[in-house]
Amino acid sequence: DSQKWKLVSVDSAHYEIVNKNSGKVLDVMYASQGNGALVQQFDYLGYDNQKWQIVAVDSTYCKIVSKNSGKVLDVLGVSQADGAPIQQYDYVGGANQQWQFIPVQYYRIVSKNSGKVVDVVGAAQGNGALIEQYDYSGGDSQKWEIVAIDSTYSKIVNKNSGKVLDVRGVSQANGAPVQQYDYLGGANQQWQVIPVDSVNYRIVSKYSGKVLDVLGVSQANGALIQQYDYLGGANQQWQLVPVQ
């Protein structure tokens, strides 16, 4: 979430750029107007050093211009390294001054058996909340991001809580319930999404080799999600439907 940002309009031309993790905004330190001033996150106070204009460079990339200084977001030293600081600088057309906005893609995960979606019970945001199926209502607890960990496995992140699908108790047993939990890097929190046909997938736990399964082959709202050996049932097959 520290790498996800929201654009919030503050006037007809400028935005605050808000971090999902902290709720703070991009801010030029000390409201400087000079080249090389570092960019930080800070509580939004409404100052011009926290307001930015998004100006297209081409069909893909933009420059991000400070209202206060007219300078742009710039990676210090034209670095390609992780951890390189961001500063403001006069725009000189460098690739280190051009940025692409990539929307985060969320999915509803739809049971082939019931047509209902994977949902967090009670739209809870806490660790340990169980996962159920429910009619899709558009709530954020029913939206999931599939984030690759490596070439095979992904974590499945809830939009509402920021927590991931997790097999409770690091269990390898049939019937172990699925919950949401902070991502700790465990194999019980990593999943392989494998096509069954042109529409549906099975979602396989790295740790147990078992799949997401609706308890009792139920078609009812509130039926809990567990892990189970893959038997080919429609209650073990899921469609990934992008949320616009």
Side-chain angles (χ1 to χ4, degrees):
D1 286 351
S2 63
Q3 298 178 324
K4 298 174 184 173
W5 304 83
K6 179 171 65 173
L7 299 178
V8 179
S9 180
V10 293
D11 58 36
S12 60
H14 297 92
Y15 299 87
E16 55 180 301
I17 302 178
V18 186
N19 185 258
K20 182 176 181 182
N21 183 59
S22 66
K24 302 182 187 300
V25 302
L26 284 188
D27 170 290
V28 180
M29 290 184 69
Y30 309 118
S32 173
Q33 293 185 321
N35 281 331
L38 292 178
V39 176
Q40 63 181 357
Q41 67 173 10
F42 208 85
D43 292 329
Y44 182 66
L45 303 173
Y47 299 138
D48 285 352
N49 65 309
Q50 300 179 321
K51 298 175 183 177
W52 304 88
Q53 186 177 11
I54 312 301
V55 180
V57 173
D58 56 31
S59 60
T60 302
Y61 292 97
C62 301
K63 56 184 177 181
I64 302 176
V65 185
S66 169
K67 182 177 182 180
N68 185 57
S69 67
K71 301 182 188 300
V72 303
L73 286 188
D74 171 291
V75 181
L76 182 64
V78 200
S79 176
Q80 294 184 323
D82 287 340
I86 306 299
Q87 62 180 2
Q88 69 174 7
Y89 211 86
D90 292 330
Y91 183 66
V92 295
N96 66 312
Q97 299 180 318
Q98 299 178 18
W99 306 86
Q100 183 180 9
F101 288 91
I102 301 175
V104 175
Q105 180 62 69
Y106 290 99
Y107 297 88
R108 59 183 194 262
I109 304 175
V110 184
S111 169
K112 180 180 180 180
N113 184 58
S114 66
K116 301 182 188 300
V117 302
V118 174
D119 187 14
V120 180
V121 172
Q125 293 186 318
N127 283 331
L130 290 172
I131 306 301
E132 65 182 357
Q133 69 173 7
Y134 213 88
D135 291 329
Y136 182 66
S137 63
D140 285 350
S141 64
Q142 301 179 322
K143 298 173 183 176
W144 303 86
E145 183 186 6
I146 299 173
V147 181
I149 296 166
D150 56 33
S151 60
T152 303
Y153 294 99
S154 300
K155 57 182 176 179
I156 301 177
V157 185
N158 187 256
K159 183 177 182 181
N160 183 57
S161 66
K163 301 183 188 298
V164 303
L165 287 186
D166 169 293
V167 180
R168 179 171 282 185
V170 198
S171 176
Q172 292 186 316
N174 281 331
V178 175
Q179 62 183 2
Q180 70 174 6
Y181 211 87
D182 292 329
Y183 183 66
L184 305 173
N188 65 311
Q189 301 180 316
Q190 299 178 19
W191 304 87
Q192 186 177 11
V193 179
I194 300 174
V196 174
D197 54 36
S198 61
V199 175
N200 297 290
Y201 298 83
R202 63 182 190 267
I203 301 175
V204 185
S205 168
K206 179 179 181 180
Y207 186 67
S208 66
K210 301 181 188 300
V211 302
L212 287 188
D213 171 290
V214 180
L215 181 65
V217 199
S218 177
Q219 294 185 322
N221 281 331
L224 294 178
I225 307 299
Q226 61 181 1
Q227 70 173 5
Y228 211 87
D229 292 329
Y230 184 63
L231 305 173
N235 66 312
Q236 300 179 319
Q237 297 180 27
W238 307 89
Q239 185 178 3
L240 303 179
V241 179
V243 176
Q244 300 303 318

